[in-house]
Amino acid sequence: MTPRIVLVVAVADNGVIGAAGGMPWRLSSDLKEFRRLTMGKPIVMGRKTFAAIGKPLDGRDNIVVTRDAAFSAPGVTVAPSIAAALAAAERFAAERGADEIAVIGGGEIYAATIGAADRLYVTEVHATPEGDTRFPPIEAAEWRETSRMEGTRGPRDSAAFDFVVYERVEENPQGGI
């Protein structure tokens, strides 16, 4: 069984996902959902995302994509390309029995993998922060919303939010959708 490639992302209403190497909001509730969605799975991220997190995430195979051949960090697998990262993630998924490979950022990694993704786990953050990193547009012709749940805003959440799942639209053999 080939694991699904899924993108896990929090996106503001204006498409922003990052600002100056960090997140432009604080959403404790989203971090709990992120942990639930990624636990026990291989996770693929860029070097800047890894630097923002600051350490490997426990209970997951951490794969960092970087063009820097000298980069290394304890507890991570370094990949020189998206293709190498996804190949390593497939091996880890097979070892773990995981049915998904989770791509967790940043902007360049999302842009490079959205075309190969089967599912998007999107936290829609109802805010319009300034930012320098954006998520690629979710094209209606390519994706269909299959689930939406209003988030329960807690005291450690700086904005309202919804958890939304999108599945890739499959074309039928006659070429229509």
Side-chain angles (χ1 to χ4, degrees), residues 1 3 40-42 61 89-100:
M1 172 186 85
K41 299 172 185 171
D61 300 296
E90 277 195 36
R91 288 191 303 275
F92 287 129
E95 291 170 10
R96 283 185 178 265
D99 63 350
E100 293 182 333

Side-chain angles (χ1 to χ4, degrees), residues 39-103:
M39 186 55 67
K41 299 172 185 171
I43 56 174
V44 175
M45 70 192 95
R47 183 193 47 77
K48 292 176 193 170
T49 297
F50 177 73
I53 295 169
K55 64 180 183 184
L57 297 177
D58 67 317
R60 293 153 275 198
D61 300 296
N62 291 249
I63 304 162
V64 176
V65 181
T66 180
R67 292 181 283 275
D68 180 355
F71 177 82
S72 70
V76 305
T77 299
V78 178
S81 66
I82 297 288
L86 294 176
E90 277 195 36
R91 288 191 303 275
F92 287 129
E95 291 170 10
R96 283 185 178 265
D99 63 350
E100 293 182 333
I101 294 166
V103 175

Side-chain angles (χ1 to χ4, degrees), residues 154-171:
R156 294 175 30 179
D157 297 322
S158 64
F161 56 93
D162 293 325
F163 296 121
V164 185
V165 179
Y166 293 90
E167 300 284 343
R168 181 166 297 284
V169 172
E170 308 236 356
E171 292 188 35

